[in-house]
Amino acid sequence: MKRFIITFSTALLLLVSVSISAQDFQGQAIYQTKTTMDMSGFGGDQMSEQRKKQIADRMKSMLEKTYVLNFNRSESTYTEEEKLEAPGAGGGGRFGGMMSSFTGGAQYKNIKESLILQEQEFFGKQFLVKDSLPKLEWKLGSETKQIGQYTCFKATTTKPVDEMDFMSMRRRGRDDEKKEGEEKADTTKKESNDVFEDIEVPKFVIVTAWYTPQIPVSTGPGEYQGLPGLILEVTADKTVMLCTKIVMNPQNKESIDRPEKGEEVTRDEYNQIMKDKIAEMREMYGGRGGRGGGGRRN
């Protein structure tokens, strides 16, 4: 009798798993993301501590965010949860507009088509950045941990870093900020007349992900995908993405639509547009190394 119960239970679990995989289900996952950034040397000796604190407080809202992932078996949208701005925040002005261009807008992924689309607004102009999904060579481990009610398995990979990835930018020469594995990869070299001569971006970072086969979809937060289950946690360089809530087959399903608005460009083309605009602003406002002549200085 005991053997019958065990066999029946196993068959029932298998049936449920097959049923979930077969049906056109949809889910929603909420992720809290946080990026740590060293502000100790920001601005050098020319900036007051009060001004540094103001910038750090403004940066906090950009480095700690909540995202919503709506997904089905092959498609997903990943959007930042809208929140009211604190009184006196002022929207960040030119600084806030610049940072939002680095961090990106709503994102769409299609696993079957190996497609990723990212909405971007840059100085009032709308772009649609189109690329292939990154091919991540995951190493699956046997280590497990519990995230909420889900059993998750560990996976690691080494990921190339986009040269304009704001979350991985650091002041040049800060060897103490390098993490294990980064010393094996050279950092991006900049020419002396480059607009980013004071910062560098590692060419590669080690990524650790935790995924659950209990939700059989090959997607996760941001660009991450390609594992045999929903990714619930990601640690990449200085950024941690942690799933805090999951709703399967919500009563009010969100539409998962492919974005179409904006000038379509590749990631490389969009990066060049940003670099050209930043160089133009440095000339206009007379930044260090600028040749703006009569341009005013802030």
Side-chain angles (χ1 to χ4, degrees):
M1 182 66 178
K2 184 177 180 181
R3 181 180 297 177
F4 171 77
I5 293 175
I6 294 174
T7 304
F8 177 77
S9 299
T10 303
L12 182 60
L13 286 172
L14 180 62
L15 181 63
V16 170
S17 177
V18 171
S19 176
I20 290 176
S21 299
Q23 66 178 316
D24 188 19
F25 74 97
Q26 184 172 324
Q28 184 179 87
I30 309 298
Y31 292 85
Q32 300 289 339
T33 72
K34 184 175 182 178
T35 300
T36 57
M37 183 169 290
D38 180 17
M39 297 291 293
S40 60
F42 190 83
D45 299 329
Q46 300 177 355
M47 187 178 293
S48 68
E49 291 302 316
Q50 182 181 1
R51 179 58 177 159
K52 288 181 182 180
K53 185 180 184 303
Q54 289 175 344
I55 293 176
D57 290 342
R58 186 176 294 174
M59 292 282 286
K60 184 177 180 180
S61 65
M62 301 174 188
L63 300 176
E64 297 180 12
K65 294 177 177 291
T66 301
Y67 287 89
V68 180
L69 177 72
N70 288 293
F71 60 89
N72 56 34
R73 283 184 295 171
S74 60
E75 297 175 287
S76 66
T77 56
Y78 187 66
T79 56
E80 182 181 348
E81 188 176 75
E82 294 185 6
K83 57 184 177 181
L84 294 177
E85 193 171 88
R94 191 170 64 248
F95 179 82
M98 179 70 71
M99 291 303 101
S100 65
S101 301
F102 280 113
T103 55
Q107 185 187 81
Y108 167 89
K109 293 200 302 276
N110 189 308
I111 304 299
K112 287 184 178 179
E113 299 179 17
S114 187
L115 172 70
I116 183 168
L117 295 170
Q118 180 96 42
E119 294 182 345
Q120 298 271 182
E121 184 178 347
F122 190 47
F123 283 87
K125 185 172 182 179
Q126 192 71 33
F127 293 90
L128 185 61
V129 182
K130 179 180 180 181
D131 266 318
S132 298
L133 284 173
K135 295 181 180 179
L136 301 174
E137 300 294 332
W138 292 105
K139 294 181 180 179
L140 306 184
S142 58
E143 186 178 347
T144 65
K145 75 172 180 178
Q146 202 76 9
I147 298 180
Q149 68 186 71
Y150 298 97
T151 300
C152 297
F153 292 82
K154 184 178 181 179
T156 58
T157 189
T158 300
K159 182 180 79 74
V161 181
D162 184 273
E163 65 173 333
M164 298 296 284
D165 183 354
F166 165 69
M167 298 305 182
S168 292
M169 289 181 180
R170 61 201 62 183
R171 289 192 301 118
R172 185 172 297 282
R174 288 299 299 269
D175 292 336
D176 57 306
E177 291 185 357
K178 293 182 180 179
K179 294 185 178 182
E180 182 181 355
E182 288 184 9
E183 65 275 11
K184 298 179 181 179
D186 292 335
T187 52
T188 306
K189 304 298 182 183
K190 305 291 183 182
E191 298 297 332
S192 60
N193 62 346
D194 193 279
V195 296
F196 293 104
E197 70 269 19
D198 290 333
I199 61 175
E200 61 186 5
V201 179
K203 284 190 174 181
F204 300 91
V205 293
I206 294 174
V207 178
T208 300
W210 295 88
Y211 67 95
T212 177
Q214 292 172 257
I215 304 179
V217 293
S218 185
T219 192
E223 65 193 271
Y224 297 102
Q225 38 76 39
L227 286 168
L230 180 65
I231 301 172
L232 299 190
E233 182 178 334
V234 172
T235 301
D237 196 25
K238 304 174 185 179
T239 299
V240 176
M241 307 173 176
L242 176 63
C243 181
T244 57
K245 181 180 179 180
I246 296 176
V247 179
M248 295 304 300
N249 294 310
Q251 186 173 3
N252 297 319
K253 295 183 178 181
E254 296 287 340
S255 59
I256 300 177
D257 299 321
R258 184 183 305 222
E260 297 179 348
K261 295 182 180 179
E263 179 183 343
E264 188 175 299
V265 293
T266 66
R267 174 57 61 182
D268 288 342
E269 289 171 338
Y270 183 73
N271 285 350
Q272 190 59 52
I273 290 169
M274 282 201 294
K275 287 191 286 187
D276 290 346
K277 184 64 177 180
I278 292 169
E280 177 186 322
M281 289 179 62
R282 283 169 59 93
E283 293 288 334
M284 182 181 301
Y285 293 99
R288 187 170 71 83
R291 299 180 302 276
R296 81 170 185 271
R297 297 178 182 271
N298 289 340

